[in-house]
Each structure stands twice: as C-alpha cells, then as structure tokens.
C-alpha cells in the first residue's frame, strides 16, 4: 500500500494491510494521523511528512516502523498489550515518541535521529509493572541521537543499549528508568552512553554486569538501584559522581 497526498492523511474507519505500507504527505505542514484502534499492519509501515507536519500511528496491534522522515513530531504507540518494532531509521525534526504496552524492539537498521526534539520511549505503556510488562531492546548497532536535546527511556523490564547520545548539557540530559529491571549492554566493547550532561538512572536490578560494564562518555551520573545486581561503569574520560545509591 502506498498513499501520497498533498493534504493531510487521516483514518475514520479500518485499515488492514498484509504487506508493506507507505504514507507520505507531499504538501508542507500536512499531518499524518492514523489512530484507529481497528487498524492492522502486518508488515513494515513508513511515514513521511514535510514542513512541520506531524505523524501519528497508534493502534491495538503489534506493528513495525520502517524508515521514516518526519519534519514535525512523531508519535507511534502499540496498545492492546502488544509490542512495537523498529526496522529502519526514524528521522524527526521534532520529538520522537514511541510507546508500547509490551516491548519496544530495534533491529540493526533501527535508529532514531531527532534533530530539534527529544527522544522519548516508554515500554509497558499500560503501566502494569508486573516484572514482565515490557522492555526496551536495542540491537548493538542501533543508535539514538537526540542532537542537543534529551533522551528519556522507561520500561518495566530491562533496557538493553546500543548507543544513546546527545550533546545536551543539562542535569537530566539522559534519563533511564526501569521499574523491575536494569540497564544492560547489548555488546561487549563499544560506547553505550554519550552525553555532555548528566545521566539519571532509577533501576531495580543493576547497571551493567560484572562481566559487561556500561561504557560511558559523560559528565556526571545519578544512579539509584533499589533491589539487586551490580553497578558497573567503564568511563572513557573523567566522571563526576553526583549520586549513587545502591
């Protein structure tokens, strides 16, 4: 399915597609809004807008976002206790917000670049917080780049990292929250977190492991780990410990 429009693209009924889908607004500042809970996309969905056009893709089934270029904000949300997959690079001029009631999973080609907005990911978006509610899984080749803005990643289970990076210098430039899990390294020898500001992490079961520390290049850290596991940091430069509670 390929839909191109000089105006906005919306849905008022039900869209069911077995193959790939591509929705594009060719007019400046025209939005894509596909928010019916009845929609079902069984293969990759790509969204593209121009100017300040936003894109919204929500539904109560699992779907996969492919390569997309959004000149405004992106909101993608999988409800119904389902997962959201990303198999291509998502480029936004505004915020990139991804939500899933279950997991958010990235392949090696799944990346996020937010030029002038924040990156916000929420697994377990239905907040059941039962220890198996949802995780964020980045492939080791996956990169989240927020430019000069912030990254916020939240999950019930583990957050597994590729590379997350920002030049933001604030005291909350990167925030990682796991209600019942921890932060894990998806590889063994590459940088995982890079920021010109502070990393804030609120976790339950550790930050890295004894065998596989989280490789960082940051200014300062604020880590609370409430239940079990270790805190293992490998900083490539210098680091200020604002707080570690373990």
């Amino acid at each position: 399915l390929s839909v191109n429009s000089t105006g906005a693209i919306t849905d008022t009924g039900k869209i069911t597609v077995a193959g790939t889908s591509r929705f594009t607004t060719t007019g400046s500042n025209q939005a894509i809004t596909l928010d019916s809970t009845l929609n079902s996309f069984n293969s990759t969905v790509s969204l593209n807008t121009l100017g300040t056009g936003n894109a919204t893709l929500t539904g109560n089934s699992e779907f996969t976002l492919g390569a997309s270029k959004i000149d405004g904000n992106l909101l993608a949300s999988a409800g119904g206790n389902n997962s959201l997959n990303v198999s291509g690079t998502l480029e936004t001029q505004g915020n990139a917000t991804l939500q899933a009631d279950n997991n958010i999973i990235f392949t090696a080609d799944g990346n996020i670049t937010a030029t002038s907005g924040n990156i916000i990911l929420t697994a377990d978006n239905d907040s059941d917080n039962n220890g198996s509610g949802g995780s964020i899984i980045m492939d080791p080749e996956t990169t989240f780049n927020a430019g000069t803005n912030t990254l916020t990643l939240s999950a019930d289970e583990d957050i597994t990292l590729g590379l997350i990076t920002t030049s933001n210098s604030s005291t909350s430039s990167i925030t990682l929250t796991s209600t019942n899990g921890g932060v894990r390294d998806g590889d063994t020898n590459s940088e995982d977190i890079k920021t010109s500001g502070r990393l804030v992490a609120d976790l339950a079961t550790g930050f890295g492991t004894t065998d596989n520390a989280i490789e960082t290049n940051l200014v300062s850290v604020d880590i609370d780990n409430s239940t079990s596991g270790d805190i293992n940091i490998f900083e490539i430069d210098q680091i200020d410990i604002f707080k570690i509670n373990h």
Side-chain angles (χ1 to χ4, degrees), residues 70-202:
I70 310 301
D71 279 0
N73 298 316
L74 168 65
L75 169 62
S77 183
N81 203 32
N82 288 292
S83 295
L84 168 60
N85 306 288
V86 181
S87 63
T89 295
L90 309 179
E91 300 178 62
T92 68
Q93 291 295 319
N95 295 331
T97 303
L98 275 59
Q99 304 168 342
D101 283 0
N102 199 5
N103 305 316
I104 304 177
I105 303 170
F106 290 79
T107 69
D109 293 324
N111 305 288
I112 304 176
T113 299
T115 303
S116 301
N118 303 312
I119 296 175
I120 306 160
L121 271 66
T122 306
D124 191 29
N125 192 49
D126 55 356
S127 300
D128 54 24
N129 296 329
N130 61 4
S132 58
S135 58
I136 296 172
I137 304 171
M138 299 173 67
D139 184 271
E141 300 299 318
T142 295
T143 298
F144 297 167
N145 188 338
T148 60
N149 299 290
T150 63
L151 296 102
T152 304
L153 279 60
S154 304
D156 180 37
E157 300 177 80
D158 286 347
I159 299 171
T160 301
L161 299 178
L163 170 63
I164 55 177
T165 179
T166 176
S167 61
N168 185 279
S169 60
S170 73
T171 55
S172 56
S173 61
I174 296 178
T175 301
L176 305 177
T177 304
S178 176
T179 306
N180 289 291
V183 172
R184 308 293 176 233
D185 189 347
D187 58 33
T188 57
N189 57 6
S190 298
E191 197 171 71
D192 303 306
I193 300 174
K194 183 175 183 179
T195 176
S196 300
R198 180 176 298 160
L199 165 70
V200 179
D202 291 291

Side-chain angles (χ1 to χ4, degrees), residues 3-9 24-31 50:
V3 179
N4 294 273
S5 175
T6 58
I9 299 174
T24 303
T25 54
T26 57
S28 182
N29 310 327
Q30 299 299 314
L50 296 175

Side-chain angles (χ1 to χ4, degrees), residues 48-65:
N48 298 277
T49 67
L50 296 175
T52 59
N54 299 323
T56 300
L57 179 63
T58 64
N60 283 342
S61 61
E62 182 169 340
F63 60 87
T64 299
L65 270 178

Side-chain angles (χ1 to χ4, degrees), residues 161 176 181-185 192-193 199-210 212-216 218 221 223-225 228-234 246:
L161 299 178
L176 305 177
V183 172
R184 308 293 176 233
D185 189 347
D192 303 306
I193 300 174
L199 165 70
V200 179
D202 291 291
L203 314 167
T205 63
F207 186 83
T209 65
T210 302
N212 195 1
I214 304 296
E215 288 91 1
T216 65
L218 44 75
V221 293
I223 300 177
D224 287 286
N225 186 60
S228 63
D230 300 314
I231 295 177
N232 291 276
I233 303 167
F234 184 85
H246 175 47

